Every structure is written in C-alpha cells, then in structure tokens.
Amino acid sequence: MSNQTICQNKKARFEYEILEVLEAGIVLKGTEIKSIRQFGVSLDGAFAVVMDGQVTLVGCHIDPYKQGNINNHEPKRQRKLLLNKAEINKFAEKAKVKGFTLIPLSIYLKEGKAKVELAICRGKQLHDKRQSLKDRDAKRELRNA
C-alpha cells in the first residue's frame, strides 16, 4: 500500500536547511483521524519539542470534524509523537544544539495510520534563500526550454 500525502510544509523547505529526516507516528483522538482523512490539517508554524523524554508536536492545526458532536477535538492541541527511545535521544541531542530545531515536513497516511515526516533543521540565512530562489528559477527555465 502506498503513502497518501495529506499535507506538506512547503515553507519549511524554503526557510530551513534540512539535515536529517525521520518518520514518527502521532497520538490522535477520535475525530482527528477523520478530519485528517478529509485533508483538514495544516502544518504552518508547527514545530516539535523534546520534553520529559517525549517528542511533542506543537502548532499543528487539525480542523474540527464537520460531522462531530460536542466531543470534537481541540484544533491546536499539542500531540505526542511516537518514536522509540533511541530515536528520541538522538533527536534530543541534535535539537539542543543552538540554531537547530525539529520541524514537521509532511503528514501522510501509511497503511491507514497517520505519520509525520519530522526533520532536524537549521534556519537559512537571507543569502541562502536567495540562492534557493535562483536555483529554482534555473530549473524552471530548463524545464520550459
């Protein structure tokens, strides 16, 4: 079964230099997975933090389920990410280094389960962003030529 990409954080790929990528599961409440399957999720401004030996996704917005009732989920709540202890320790060490952060790149469905592609990133400087724009324009011209 193939992966179905639900949401991508395109701005993160422009704003940050991606150093390492890892797949993590998400702990969801009842109506959240239904809303994700309806493409009701946004990663704008989302990031992950390591607290008390756990990785938590902060700032991810999952729309309330339209057919839900009063027990619907809170859209901007913090969600625990599922990683094994070795992966958490490895990420925690790298995330503590000044200038590095954990950014979710995409959310996708894999075998019916929601997964997050999490990356260790370093913020780009203005000149790096300009170079990215030049490279993208050059690729576009080659394709159109």
Side-chain angles (χ1 to χ4, degrees):
M1 183 179 243
S2 65
N3 298 341
Q4 179 187 10
T5 302
I6 302 296
C7 174
Q8 286 192 341
N9 193 349
K10 292 180 184 177
K11 193 172 184 180
R13 295 188 188 275
F14 178 72
E15 296 284 334
Y16 298 96
E17 176 186 349
I18 298 164
L19 304 174
E20 192 172 339
V21 178
L22 184 69
E23 177 183 86
I26 317 171
V27 176
L28 298 172
K29 291 194 174 180
T31 57
E32 288 179 325
I33 189 64
K34 294 178 180 182
S35 187
I36 287 173
R37 286 188 178 128
Q38 292 180 344
F39 299 91
V41 62
S42 172
L43 290 173
D44 292 339
F47 61 95
V49 292
V50 180
M51 298 184 293
D52 304 324
Q54 296 181 352
V55 181
T56 306
L57 184 63
V58 180
C60 176
H61 184 276
I62 298 178
D63 294 337
Y65 185 55
K66 291 181 176 69
Q67 286 79 32
N69 55 18
I70 59 170
N71 297 324
N72 224 342
H73 65 274
E74 184 182 328
K76 281 264 192 191
R77 76 175 184 89
Q78 295 182 2
R79 294 165 181 89
K80 181 180 169 185
L81 296 179
L82 302 172
L83 295 166
N84 65 39
K85 193 161 250 174
E87 292 171 331
I88 292 172
N89 291 336
K90 181 179 173 184
F91 262 51
E93 283 180 27
K94 291 185 180 180
K96 286 180 186 175
V97 176
K98 186 178 180 192
F100 285 18
T101 187
L102 298 173
I103 302 291
L105 298 178
S106 65
I107 292 181
Y108 56 92
L109 294 177
K110 181 178 181 181
E111 298 174 8
K113 306 226 182 339
K115 303 285 184 181
V116 172
E117 187 178 32
L118 194 64
I120 296 174
C121 301
R122 179 188 310 133
K124 285 185 182 178
Q125 300 294 323
L126 181 61
H127 59 85
D128 293 332
K129 293 179 189 176
R130 288 180 182 157
Q131 186 62 40
S132 296
L133 288 173
K134 287 179 187 176
D135 293 343
R136 188 174 64 198
D137 289 343
K139 285 180 184 176
R140 185 180 305 135
E141 287 179 17
L142 286 175
R143 263 194 320 237
N144 292 339

